[in-house]
Amino acid sequence: MKSGRSGGVGRPAAVASVVALVSAAALAWGVGWAQAGRTGVRAAAATGDITTVAGGVGGPGAGTAVSLGSGQNSACGVSYSSGTLYVADSQVVRNVSTQTGGLTTPVGTGAAGPLGDGGPAASATLDTCGTTLDHSGNLVIADWGGSRIRVVAAGTGTFYGQAMTAGNIYTVAGTGIGGFSGDGHLATSAKLDTPTAVAVDGAGNLVISDSGNGRVRVVAVKTGTYYGQAMTAKHLYTVAGNGTYGYAGDGGAATSAALASPNQTAVDGAGNLVIADSGNNVVRVVAAASGTFYGQAMTAGDIYTVAGNGTFGFAGDGGAATSAELDGPRGVTVDGDGNLVVADRGNNVVRVVAATSGTFYGQAMTAGDIYTVAGNGTFGFAGDGGPATSAELAGPDQTAVDGAGNLVIADGANGRVRVVAAGDGTFYGQSMSAGDIYTVAGTGTGGFFGDGGAATAAGLNGPRRVTLDGAGNLIITDRANNVVRVVAAASGTFYGQAMTAGDIYTVAGNGSFGFAGDGGPATSAELAFPDQAAVDGAGNLVIADSGNNRVRVVAGSTGTFYGQAMTAGDIYTVVGTGQAAYGGDGGLATKAKLDGPQDVAFDGAGNMVIADGVNNRVRVVAAKTATFYGQAMTIRKIYTVAGNGTFGFSGDGGSATAAELRVPEDVVVDNAGNLVITDSWNNRVRVVAATSGTFYGQAMTAGDIYTVAGNGTFGFSGDGGPGTAAELASPGQTAIDGDGNLVIADNANDRVRVVAAGDGTFYGQAMTAGDIYTVAGNGTGGFAGDGGPATSAELNHPQGVAVDSAGDLLVADVSSNRIREVAG
């Protein structure tokens, strides 16, 4: 089966993912996004901290269950109680009626703001992928972005030692500062670190997956002895994990064991703690009492592996669970028959470890063996209305079992909640057949909404790239919505529209996928997966209209540009005929053939540089008749300057036009005029030298090509060492910051990394010239960490990076459907 973490996941060659750049000219423009934003858009952040500046899930509202929020962390957690399905939808909690399928949003505003403790839950700010219901019917929320456990009171009374009012929200564990402290003390005085989930045991204690601390911890609901420890009511205790990231300790005391990102904990019928030890690719159990469980003799308080052999992969169906391979199991629950249900996230399947021999989920099962019950292993979305085992899932995060015995799946990267029917009947307002799978919430898109309002409340859908114009406005290619949008840095008139600082507006595209509108208003035109937008020296907006195999221009003013008479606000094709092919070198750019152009930039001479992705070339449209890149060029004609058209890797140290590329996704011009190319499918960043000299620590010859980051292996390694020895994973956009450092959106590693141009301290880290460092993202795909250090935050396939004039990093966090900023 294919893991969703393999190279090129979800990226068809013709529309391979791309990201943002900011040209040297844009960096030099006077008013930066951050500088303007701190007065009109958002509050200042501490150096190295990360915040969201555009994109969100919208307001609380009400509607049908097909209307969820955005990003992979939409629909990332599910729980069930009394006829209601609770969906942890990133910055809100949604309720879905199991009878009608109707959806409401009782918790969270969906935007940044005050914490809201002590007030109505609908006005609170949170980040969550895990909820549960306690014995009093209160909703308990693992607020991993806030490093807290919070409770929404079901009724007015005293819970967890606090007086609570029905419908209001309260913190019951954690100070809000990420860290580890407080064992044996009041839970509200303790520090947690990105708690990903919370469960309630038979005694009513809260069991917390304190993932960042590598521990499972318990808040005692009353004084007593639990998990072999004397506990005091309202106090916090570690019951599994010693804080060391690793895999050790089986057969010994659980508190001495090493865990690796325990993501979710469940409590089985015998009171044992079941832990999804995600980083170790296993499921483990802490025995509540001495006895035989899951076919093993266990001692109270000790820890044991019950599924997974620790090897990253997929194998073992139909055999012993402890011999099987798992891939980052994210969630675990216990069904009504005592079976363990595992969200085997990296394998894009849901699997079951049978507690007893019998028939479950339509399959004959043997006690202790493991079976797939949903998903065919392919990362994607398909199969609704058919057998669950034939369907495609995308990074399933968590599962639950509802009152009818249906298996509910948080299909995280698909942004959906899906149900495998336990029997024939009507559930969630739909007619279902036993064993088949259905979507009950979520459209799978981030949505398109919010124009004219605050950018942080807008719906984006796969934003691939970001850049900045001369006024400091943030330009976003909202790719899957087929539009280009602008977040105004200050109030004024831009692109023919009156704009208010901090609000978002569409400036090109009507939202329909297609090709139409040339010569008319850009907002009435059709685009097809626009990948990058840049601003030329005349202030025109230039768009790589990838799906249309064209480069198009929205005129910034009325005049003649690219040899055409243009009217301000109207759109025109300036490169490409629309035919997906290669042709036209040496001729007029409008007669040339492109194939999936991924990016467009401008060099110091004003030439247009195009990453012609599927043609495996970088091409230039000359701004004037002269010699560029070692070639005599004629104004408005097109030429290849890198790549020989062969999909492959070769040519380092030789002529760039003789080299092989693999779908170049991005090109940027550095401060020395060199072309920096993201050779994504080769997992490298390469440079075409503009002149002979030493760049990025290498002696280079003009016109030749060199690798400056990545060793060609898809993976993550090398931080703190030479950039050329490091592993990258489908790198997207690159940018050059004010210090000349190379900034890389390391897409599939869920990180932003920097290759230092010189020795010094950058982004809060001491760096050595030529070495590579992570400056944003902790390597876990998701959405978390706003307001805290960028290196502790979760990113979700960042595709684009830009650097503003204040030195802040802007990141197109594509699968979270947000634009985020790291303060410089």
Side-chain angles (χ1 to χ4, degrees):
M1 291 192 179
K2 183 179 178 182
S3 167
R5 297 282 297 176
S6 61
V9 163
R11 298 152 42 122
V15 290
S17 62
V18 288
V19 274
L21 67 87
V22 59
S23 67
L27 284 170
W29 284 331
V31 181
W33 163 252
Q35 181 180 351
R38 288 196 173 99
T39 57
V41 180
R42 66 191 191 287
T47 299
D49 282 0
I50 192 167
T51 53
T52 293
V53 296
V57 297
T64 66
V66 294
S67 182
L68 287 184
S70 60
Q72 181 171 353
N73 282 356
S74 85
C76 59
V78 286
S79 57
Y80 168 84
S81 179
S82 303
T84 299
L85 189 65
Y86 295 84
V87 182
D89 191 14
S90 188
Q91 293 179 304
V92 294
V93 177
R94 315 279 196 181
N95 284 3
V96 181
S97 167
T98 59
Q99 298 299 312
T100 66
L103 177 145
T104 57
T105 307
V107 185
T109 64
L115 183 68
D117 267 6
S123 300
T125 298
L126 68 155
D127 277 310
T128 182
C129 271
T131 64
T132 193
L133 279 294
D134 69 14
H135 296 173
S136 299
N138 303 309
L139 180 65
V140 187
I141 301 168
D143 185 357
W144 64 350
S147 292
R148 303 170 186 263
I149 303 299
R150 302 170 78 184
V151 166
V152 179
T156 299
T158 300
F159 309 101
Y160 306 99
Q162 299 182 46
M164 298 187 181
T165 301
N168 286 0
I169 192 168
Y170 305 84
T171 293
V172 296
T175 64
I177 299 173
F180 175 73
S181 70
D183 268 8
H185 298 280
L186 284 171
T188 49
S189 300
K191 290 182 180 177
L192 306 173
D193 190 352
T194 57
T196 49
V198 61
V200 177
D201 67 16
N205 303 311
L206 300 184
V207 184
I208 303 167
S209 299
D210 194 4
S211 184
N213 281 320
R215 292 172 165 93
V216 176
R217 302 169 83 183
V218 165
V219 179
V221 72
K222 60 183 178 181
T223 300
T225 299
Y226 311 102
Y227 308 100
Q229 298 182 49
M231 298 188 182
T232 302
K234 300 181 289 184
H235 286 38
L236 182 72
Y237 303 84
T238 294
V239 295
N242 62 9
T244 301
Y245 186 98
Y247 180 63
D250 267 9
T255 50
S256 299
L259 306 176
S261 299
N263 268 292
Q264 189 185 5
T265 304
V267 183
D268 69 15
N272 303 309
L273 297 185
V274 185
I275 304 168
D277 193 0
S278 183
N280 284 321
N281 304 301
V282 296
V283 176
R284 301 169 84 177
V285 164
V286 180
S290 296
T292 299
F293 309 103
Y294 306 99
Q296 299 183 47
M298 298 188 182
T299 301
D302 287 357
I303 193 168
Y304 304 84
T305 295
V306 295
N309 62 9
T311 300
F312 170 98
F314 179 80
D317 266 8
T322 50
S323 299
E325 293 178 355
L326 305 177
D327 186 351
R330 188 75 173 256
V332 63
T333 192
V334 182
D335 69 16
D337 294 302
N339 304 309
L340 300 186
V341 184
V342 182
D344 193 0
R345 186 173 185 264
N347 281 321
N348 306 302
V349 296
V350 175
R351 302 168 84 179
V352 165
V353 181
T356 57
S357 296
T359 300
F360 310 103
Y361 305 97
Q363 298 183 46
M365 299 188 182
T366 301
D369 287 358
I370 193 168
Y371 304 84
T372 294
V373 295
N376 64 8
T378 300
F379 181 98
F381 175 73
D384 268 8
T389 50
S390 299
E392 293 179 358
L393 305 177
D397 280 302
Q398 201 176 99
T399 61
V401 179
D402 68 18
N406 301 311
L407 178 62
V408 185
I409 302 168
D411 195 3
N414 276 324
R416 293 171 164 92
V417 176
R418 301 170 82 180
V419 165
V420 180
D424 296 344
T426 300
F427 312 102
Y428 306 92
Q430 299 183 46
S431 176
M432 299 188 182
S433 298
D436 287 356
I437 193 168
Y438 304 84
T439 294
V440 298
T443 62
T445 67
F448 177 66
F449 54 84
D451 268 5
T456 50
L460 304 178
N461 192 0
R464 292 302 177 110
R465 301 197 182 207
V466 287
T467 193
L468 298 148
D469 68 12
N473 300 310
L474 177 64
I475 302 172
I476 304 167
T477 48
D478 194 1
R479 185 175 187 270
N481 279 326
N482 299 300
V483 296
V484 177
R485 302 169 85 179
V486 166
V487 181
S491 296
T493 300
F494 309 102
Y495 305 98
Q497 299 183 48
M499 299 187 183
T500 301
D503 287 357
I504 193 168
Y505 304 84
T506 295
V507 295
N510 63 8
S512 295
F513 179 97
F515 176 72
D518 266 8
T523 51
S524 300
E526 293 180 353
L527 305 176
F529 291 151
D531 271 324
Q532 165 67 348
V535 181
D536 67 16
N540 302 308
L541 182 64
V542 184
I543 303 167
D545 193 3
S546 181
N548 280 320
N549 304 300
R550 291 173 164 92
V551 177
R552 300 169 83 183
V553 165
V554 180
S557 58
T558 299
T560 299
F561 311 102
Y562 306 98
Q564 299 182 47
M566 299 188 182
T567 301
D570 286 359
I571 193 168
Y572 304 84
T573 294
V574 296
V575 186
T577 63
Q579 182 181 357
Y582 172 72
D585 268 8
L588 287 172
T590 50
K591 303 296 185 183
K593 295 173 184 176
L594 305 176
D595 194 349
Q598 307 290 306
D599 191 23
V600 60
F602 292 89
D603 66 16
N607 300 308
M608 182 189 297
V609 187
I610 304 166
D612 192 4
V614 184
N615 279 324
N616 302 301
R617 291 174 166 92
V618 175
R619 302 169 82 181
V620 164
V621 179
K624 60 184 178 180
T625 300
T627 298
F628 306 106
Y629 307 100
Q631 299 182 48
M633 298 189 181
T634 301
I635 186 171
R636 299 196 300 276
K637 293 188 176 181
I638 193 168
Y639 304 85
T640 293
V641 295
N644 64 8
T646 300
F647 179 92
F649 174 75
S650 70
D652 267 7
S655 172
T657 52
E660 294 178 353
L661 304 175
R662 289 184 178 177
V663 192
E665 293 204 0
D666 179 73
V667 61
V668 66
V669 183
D670 71 13
N671 299 340
N674 303 309
L675 298 185
V676 183
I677 302 168
T678 304
D679 194 2
S680 185
W681 288 31
N682 278 321
N683 301 298
R684 290 175 164 92
V685 177
R686 301 168 82 181
V687 164
V688 180
T691 58
S692 297
T694 299
F695 310 102
Y696 306 97
Q698 298 182 49
M700 298 188 182
T701 300
D704 286 357
I705 192 168
Y706 303 84
T707 294
V708 297
N711 63 8
T713 300
F714 180 97
F716 175 73
S717 70
D719 268 8
T724 51
E727 292 178 351
L728 304 177
S730 298
Q733 164 64 24
T734 61
I736 309 296
D737 69 16
D739 294 300
N741 301 309
L742 175 62
V743 186
I744 304 168
D746 195 0
N747 176 292
N749 278 323
D750 300 307
R751 291 174 165 92
V752 176
R753 300 168 83 182
V754 164
V755 179
D759 295 347
T761 299
F762 310 105
Y763 308 98
Q765 298 182 47
M767 298 188 182
T768 301
D771 287 358
I772 193 168
Y773 304 84
T774 294
V775 297
N778 63 9
T780 299
F783 174 72
D786 268 7
T791 50
S792 299
E794 293 185 352
L795 303 178
N796 198 350
H797 286 68
Q799 300 275 10
V801 288
V803 186
D804 69 15
S805 60
D808 300 323
L809 294 184
L810 294 161
V811 182
D813 195 6
V814 65
S815 293
S816 286
N817 294 309
R818 290 170 168 85
I819 308 301
R820 302 172 80 182
E821 182 188 82
V822 181

